[in-house]
Amino acid sequence: MTTLLGPAEIRGLAAELDVRPTKRLGQNFVHDPNTVRRIVELAGVAGEDAVLEVGPGLGSLTLGLLAAGARVSAVEIDPVLAARLPETVAERAPGDAARLTVLERDALRLRAEELPEPPSTLVANLPYNVAVPVVLHLLAELPSLARALVMVQTEVADRMAAGPGSRIYGVPSVKLAWYGTARKVAAVPRAVFWPVPNVDSALVSFERAAEPVTSADRDAVFAVVDAAFAQRRKTLRAALASWAGSAARAGELLQAAGVDPGARGEQLTVREFAQIAEQRHSVA
C-alpha cells in the first residue's frame, strides 16, 4: 500500500535533509495527494508504463506514479534529493521500490543509453527557465516518448500550447508542434506547493504525432524559426535576411515556398516554416 506525502511529511523530509528550496532550481514541492492523483490520471499512466519523471524532488509524484503500477526512471539534479528518494519509496511504498530507478543528472544532458528502458511517458515538474529546453531535448533524444504531462508556470504553458496567429505564439510553440500537439489541460493552485510560489502553474499535455509533421530536416527548420522570431516585429523578408543572405534572397525563398514575404513569424504553421527551409535546401 502506497502512502502519499502530505504537508507535514514534506516539511519533515525537508527538515531532515536541511533542504532550503531554491529559486535557482525551481524547487516548489507538491504536498497535496489529490493533486498528485490528478496529475497521474491526466498523464494517462497505467500499470506497465515506463515513465520518465524529471524533477521528483522529495518524491510526492514519484509515489503516485509507482502506485499506478508504472516503472519510473526519476531524474533529479540535486544530489541530496536524489540520494533520499529511494529511501522514501522504500519507507512509504516498499512493494513498489523495485520499479524505481533514480539518476542524479541534469535532464538537459540526459542520454537515452543512461535509462534502463525506453520510456513512453514523460511526467515533470519544471522550473520556468528550463521547461521548454528540457522538453525539446527529451523529445529529440527519446523517440520512444509518445506523450508527456508537464507542470510549468502558466505563462510558459500558454506559450507551449499557443497556435499560429496568437500574440504569444513563438519559438516554443512551433518547435513543440514539430513533434506533435501540446494542450494546456488544467490550472494548478498555488496552495498545493511548499513553499507557495509567487506565480501560477498549469499542466500541459503533449501527444507525439504518429508520423513526422514534415520530412524536412529538423535543424534546418528550427534555424528558420529562430531567425523569424529573433525580430518578431519585422516582416519575414526582413527577419530572415541574415539567414538567407539578404532581404532580397529571403523574399525569393519565401515566394517560392508560397509564403507572403510581408507576413510575420507568428502567422506561420510549422509546415510553412518547413517549406521555407526546404526551398533554401533545394537551391543550395
Side-chain angles (χ1 to χ4, degrees):
M1 179 67 178
T2 301
T3 307
L4 300 180
L5 299 173
E9 290 81 7
I10 288 290
R11 286 177 172 79
L13 278 170
E16 171 200 324
L17 300 173
D18 196 25
V19 167
R20 295 176 175 82
T22 69
K23 287 186 178 181
R24 181 178 66 83
L25 295 179
Q27 291 175 321
N28 297 97
F29 305 115
V30 178
H31 61 58
D32 177 56
N34 287 330
T35 298
V36 167
R37 294 185 188 100
R38 188 182 186 203
I39 291 171
V40 173
E41 180 183 358
L42 287 171
V45 173
E48 298 305 309
D49 280 346
V51 175
L52 172 62
E53 183 190 6
V54 175
L58 292 168
S60 299
L61 186 52
T62 311
L63 289 165
L65 293 167
L66 290 168
R71 298 184 302 281
V72 179
S73 295
V75 177
E76 173 58 58
I77 195 172
D78 186 316
V80 173
L81 298 180
R84 184 61 169 87
L85 186 56
E87 296 178 33
T88 300
V89 170
E91 292 166 1
R92 308 188 73 82
D96 299 336
R99 288 186 278 109
L100 173 68
T101 301
V102 179
L103 294 91
E104 182 193 325
R105 298 283 191 284
D106 179 348
L108 280 168
R109 294 180 171 82
L110 183 70
R111 297 299 170 201
E113 59 269 18
E114 297 178 288
L115 297 171
E117 63 180 314
S120 62
T121 305
L122 167 66
V123 180
N125 178 9
L126 299 171
Y128 74 93
N129 57 322
V130 298
V132 173
V134 165
V135 172
L136 289 173
H137 167 68
L138 295 175
L139 287 173
E141 179 67 20
L142 302 168
S144 62
L145 284 177
R147 61 187 185 272
L149 187 76
V150 296
M151 183 156 52
V152 295
Q153 185 176 336
T154 297
E155 288 79 0
V156 176
D158 290 336
R159 289 197 292 272
M160 292 173 75
S166 167
R167 180 180 56 82
I168 55 175
Y169 180 73
V171 172
S173 324
V174 183
K175 290 185 177 180
L176 279 171
W178 167 271
Y179 294 101
T181 304
R183 294 183 302 113
K184 181 178 167 185
V185 293
V188 182
R190 298 185 187 190
V192 305
F193 295 98
W194 177 81
V196 177
N198 57 8
V199 296
D200 294 318
S201 299
L203 296 169
V204 175
S205 173
F206 178 84
E207 294 285 338
R208 190 189 288 265
E211 297 292 336
V213 172
T214 168
S215 60
D217 178 74
R218 181 189 65 210
D219 291 342
V221 176
F222 283 10
V224 181
V225 173
D226 289 336
F229 286 103
Q231 304 175 78
R232 65 182 298 150
R233 292 187 178 182
K234 292 188 175 182
T235 65
L236 285 168
R237 184 181 186 276
L240 297 181
S242 296
W243 168 82
S246 69
R249 183 62 179 141
E252 293 172 2
L253 292 173
L254 288 161
Q255 288 182 326
V259 175
D260 178 5
R264 288 176 169 78
E266 64 231 40
Q267 298 171 264
L268 270 58
T269 66
V270 67
R271 292 182 186 275
E272 289 171 310
F273 279 111
Q275 289 164 11
I276 298 168
E278 287 179 321
Q279 282 303 317
R280 185 182 183 190
H281 175 73
S282 68
V283 297

